[in-house]
């Protein structure tokens, strides 16, 4: 059995996602140019401060490994952050469902300090994706689900239940990056995308599934259980 790397080196220098490599390099070039300029001007302490920039960019794009729970029925959080809203709403009409049942929606807000790699809430197949350009309002507000730029996903779990999740851009976020494609089957906690610089992810639970988290609770993507699937025809189905 593999063991987790608990070394100090891994703690100080976690792996970063490939999407962040070019941003770290750009930030490093900017820091090097500024450092050289202020050294020439005779301000070595000021010059050192510019190396904070690539360090912060590196930290933003960190991509630590996550271990999903053993419970096969667990639905996990797709994002690190804090639960900011739990409401009952119809499934998004843009997903083209013949019926739009009223379901529970759990919204997880990500600050710029959170890991921004998003992970699958359950195992299944992506059946539809839909991109919507929009406004940029505070992602913690309820209206962000209808107003902001967002990328919607509809998936069918391995036992045939439908679940949706949505990446939503926020005030600071300027790019939603989706990795998952229609027809692709992904495991629970597998990476499906990221959002750059602060945002939110909504999860629309299958009909009849109750959330098991509360507003204000801290989430860990791919690990924190937000609900549990019920067997088709079973209690709560």
């Amino acid at each position: 059995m593999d063991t987790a790397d608990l070394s100090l080196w891994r703690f100080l220098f976690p792996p970063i996602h490939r999407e962040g490599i070019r941003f770290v390099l750009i930030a490093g070039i900017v820091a090097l140019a500024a450092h050289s300029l202020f050294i020439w001007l005779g301000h070595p302490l000021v010059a050192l401060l510019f190396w904070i920039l690539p360090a912060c960019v590196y930290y933003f794009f960190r991509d630590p490994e996550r271990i999903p729970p053993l419970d096969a029925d667990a639905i996990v959080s797709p994002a690190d952050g804090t639960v900011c809203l739990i409401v009952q709403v119809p499934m998004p009409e843009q997903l083209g469902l013949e019926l739009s049942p009223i379901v529970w929606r759990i919204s997880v807000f990500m600050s710029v300090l959170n890991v921004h790699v998003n992970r699958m809430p359950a195992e299944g197949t992506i059946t539809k994706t839909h991109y919507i350009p929009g406004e940029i309002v505070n992602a913690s507000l309820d209206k962000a689900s209808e107003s902001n730029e967002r990328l919607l996903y509809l998936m069918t779990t391995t036992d045939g239940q439908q679940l949706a999740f949505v990446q939503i851009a926020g005030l600071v976020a300027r790019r939603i990056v989706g990795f998952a494609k229609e027809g692709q089957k992904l495991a629970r906690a597998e990476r499906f995308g990221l959002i750059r610089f602060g945002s939110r992810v909504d999860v629309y639970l299958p009909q009849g599934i109750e959330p098991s988290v509360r507003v204000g609770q801290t989430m860990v993507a791919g690990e924190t259980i937000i609900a549990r699937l019920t067997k088709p025809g079973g209690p709560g189905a």
Side-chain angles (χ1 to χ4, degrees):
M1 180 183 294
D2 294 335
T3 57
D5 185 351
L6 302 178
S7 66
L8 178 62
W9 178 266
R10 194 71 165 183
F11 176 76
L12 294 176
F13 300 101
I16 69 168
H17 195 274
R18 63 182 182 274
E19 282 285 328
I21 293 175
R22 68 181 183 274
F23 292 96
V24 174
L25 290 175
I26 292 170
I29 291 170
V30 171
L32 179 60
H35 178 92
S36 301
L37 174 61
F38 279 90
I39 287 292
W40 181 74
L41 293 174
H43 300 288
L45 293 180
V46 175
L48 289 174
L49 291 176
F50 284 92
W51 291 104
I52 295 175
L53 175 62
C56 289
V57 175
Y58 172 90
Y59 183 76
F60 176 84
F61 283 103
R62 68 198 186 280
D63 184 16
E65 289 299 325
R66 296 291 166 77
I67 301 174
L70 293 175
D71 184 352
D73 295 327
I75 302 174
V76 297
S77 176
D80 282 29
T82 304
V83 176
C84 60
L85 293 165
I86 300 177
V87 295
Q88 286 187 292
V89 294
M91 281 279 197
E93 61 180 14
Q94 296 87 352
L95 293 175
L97 297 174
E98 292 185 7
L99 299 175
S100 294
I102 301 298
V103 298
W104 285 102
R105 189 191 75 204
I106 301 171
S107 300
V108 181
F109 176 75
M110 297 180 286
S111 76
V112 293
L113 299 179
N114 290 123
V115 173
H116 273 62
V117 176
N118 303 141
R119 294 174 178 268
M120 289 287 289
E123 181 178 358
T125 301
I126 302 294
T127 56
K128 185 178 179 61
T129 62
H130 185 78
Y131 172 76
I132 302 173
E135 304 172 12
I136 301 295
V137 301
N138 191 329
S140 65
L141 300 177
D142 186 38
K143 67 177 182 179
S145 295
E146 300 295 334
S147 301
N148 282 22
E149 176 189 3
R150 54 203 185 276
L151 180 56
L152 294 80
Y153 303 81
L154 180 67
M155 69 168 289
T156 301
T157 65
T158 52
D159 62 4
Q161 300 184 69
Q162 288 188 312
L163 182 153
F165 46 97
V166 184
Q167 293 173 291
I168 303 174
L171 282 175
V172 184
R174 288 297 180 268
R175 178 75 193 277
I176 296 174
V177 182
F179 310 143
K181 308 297 182 184
E182 290 184 9
Q184 185 175 1
K185 184 176 181 179
L186 297 169
R188 183 179 50 175
E190 190 170 350
R191 300 165 181 84
F192 72 83
L194 63 82
I195 317 175
R196 293 208 286 260
F197 307 119
S199 40
R200 175 176 134 192
V201 179
D202 287 351
V203 182
Y204 293 79
L205 299 177
Q207 187 176 16
I209 303 297
E210 298 280 336
S212 57
V213 292
R214 306 171 78 176
V215 171
Q217 188 171 340
T218 299
M219 299 288 102
V220 177
E223 295 188 356
T224 305
I225 297 173
I226 61 173
R228 284 181 171 81
L229 293 167
T230 56
K231 305 300 181 186

